[in-house]
Amino acid sequence: MLRSTSLVLRPVLRKMSVSSTRGGDAKFEGKVAVVTASTDGIGYAIAERLLRDGAKVMVSSRKERNVERAVERLREGGGRDVGGVVCHVGKEEDRRTLLQETVRRFGGLDILVSNAAVNPAVGDTTTVEESAWDKILDVNVKCTALLVKEALPYLRKRGNASIVIVSSIGGFMPFSALGPYSTSKTALFGLTKALATELAPAIRVNCIAPGIIKTKFSSAIWQNDVIAAEAIKNIPMGRLGEAEECAGAVAFLCSEDASYITGETIVISGGMPSRL
């Protein structure tokens, strides 16, 4: 049985807190957002930013403990409404529960951010087992499409909805030893284009392609001084990215400032080579 948590946040001041800019920008006031894989890293930063800008946000992850911790951290940061649902995006029941619980608690759905992804294989593309290919394409690509499909009835009810898919710079320039993962991220660019065409004008669909961002996923790079220095040589801005910089791009794409943008990908890579 899946459990859910919904908390009404109380204002608490702290540096870079959700409440720190509450008075300055409430562009998502009255909006409801779901962010998958949002208990850490880029997903968490996106959830925090949307809360800061006035949205009600449902976070999710596969592990209940992680969900509870993320909701508590967001509650401590201040803001308005946040909830959490345990969700493995590869399971239809979990996806439906995530969406249904969001609508039950917050009254609707306006923003869907698909951030969940897996990478069970490292090595040459031609040596990756079929089972790993199946898992990567299933979770990273197919389940993204299915989540959008299942969210459509709720998004259409509200009108002027927005979907953001989180891909990767690896979709443009494949990462070494991560061929299948990079391939799945390339597919997300195509999925974004297809969905944007089909769902316009009521629902806008866009994508972000982060470069090397300082998260747990990329810790093997930035926690090793030698590897980090080598990686930074290929980044014109001379540093790794921060999760909050991805969150800002997502907030823009979901806002009225991007009202005439759909089917596009924003690259957040510090100048690393991109585009096919």
Side-chain angles (χ1 to χ4, degrees):
M1 180 69 67
L2 297 174
R3 297 182 183 178
S4 65
T5 306
S6 185
L7 302 171
V8 177
L9 304 181
R10 53 183 176 81
V12 178
L13 295 177
R14 69 180 177 88
K15 185 178 180 182
M16 293 300 289
S17 71
V18 173
S19 64
S20 62
T21 60
R22 170 64 61 191
D25 194 348
K27 60 189 173 186
F28 296 127
E29 196 74 40
K31 301 289 187 180
V32 178
V34 164
V35 186
T36 63
S38 48
T39 59
D40 193 12
I42 292 173
Y44 180 87
I46 292 170
E48 186 175 43
R49 176 58 182 266
L50 294 177
L51 275 169
R52 184 191 308 169
D53 288 350
K56 299 176 182 180
V57 179
M58 188 69 81
V59 299
S60 69
S61 183
R62 291 179 299 169
K63 297 182 179 180
E64 183 176 359
R65 185 176 181 84
N66 292 342
V67 172
E68 292 174 345
R69 285 177 175 173
V71 171
E72 180 62 22
R73 284 174 62 196
L74 292 167
R75 182 186 68 82
E76 290 175 352
R80 299 226 176 183
D81 298 299
V82 60
V85 172
V86 177
C87 175
H88 186 316
V89 297
K91 298 179 179 180
E92 180 181 2
E93 181 181 354
D94 282 19
R95 296 193 304 268
R96 292 189 182 278
T97 298
L98 170 62
L99 297 169
Q100 291 169 357
E101 184 66 11
T102 299
V103 173
R104 186 184 74 82
R105 292 190 178 271
F106 296 138
L109 181 63
D110 304 278
I111 297 169
L112 175 65
V113 181
S114 178
N115 178 55
V118 297
N119 180 53
V122 176
D124 292 342
T125 302
T126 55
T127 65
V128 172
E129 297 291 334
E130 182 177 358
S131 59
W133 272 105
D134 289 342
K135 186 172 184 178
I136 290 170
L137 295 178
D138 183 66
V139 174
N140 297 5
V141 183
K142 186 181 78 174
C143 290
T144 298
L146 292 177
L147 179 64
V148 170
K149 175 184 177 181
E150 291 152 2
L152 280 183
Y154 307 114
L155 293 168
R156 282 177 169 149
K157 282 183 180 179
R158 305 280 274 197
N160 195 28
S162 184
I163 298 169
V164 176
I165 295 171
V166 179
S167 182
S168 168
I169 189 71
F172 290 119
M173 302 292 291
F175 290 120
S176 176
L178 296 178
Y181 172 82
S182 299
T183 299
S184 73
K185 293 300 185 175
T186 303
L188 291 179
F189 300 145
L191 179 62
T192 297
K193 290 287 188 182
L195 290 173
T197 301
E198 295 170 5
L199 301 182
I203 301 173
R204 295 184 299 106
V205 185
N206 290 293
C207 182
I208 65 168
I212 303 176
I213 309 298
K214 289 187 68 175
T215 64
K216 185 182 296 184
F217 181 82
S218 64
S219 60
I221 296 175
W222 55 266
Q223 288 183 349
N224 184 303
D225 291 342
V226 175
I227 296 176
E230 190 63 30
I232 288 173
K233 288 181 181 179
N234 298 315
I235 304 174
M237 289 189 70
R239 66 175 177 85
L240 304 183
E242 299 289 342
E244 291 76 14
E245 293 173 304
C246 297
V250 171
F252 164 71
L253 288 172
C254 295
S255 73
E256 286 301 310
D257 290 333
S259 60
Y260 200 51
I261 299 175
T262 194
E264 297 299 330
T265 295
I266 292 182
V267 178
I268 310 161
S269 67
M272 291 176 67
S274 62
R275 307 304 179 194
L276 295 175

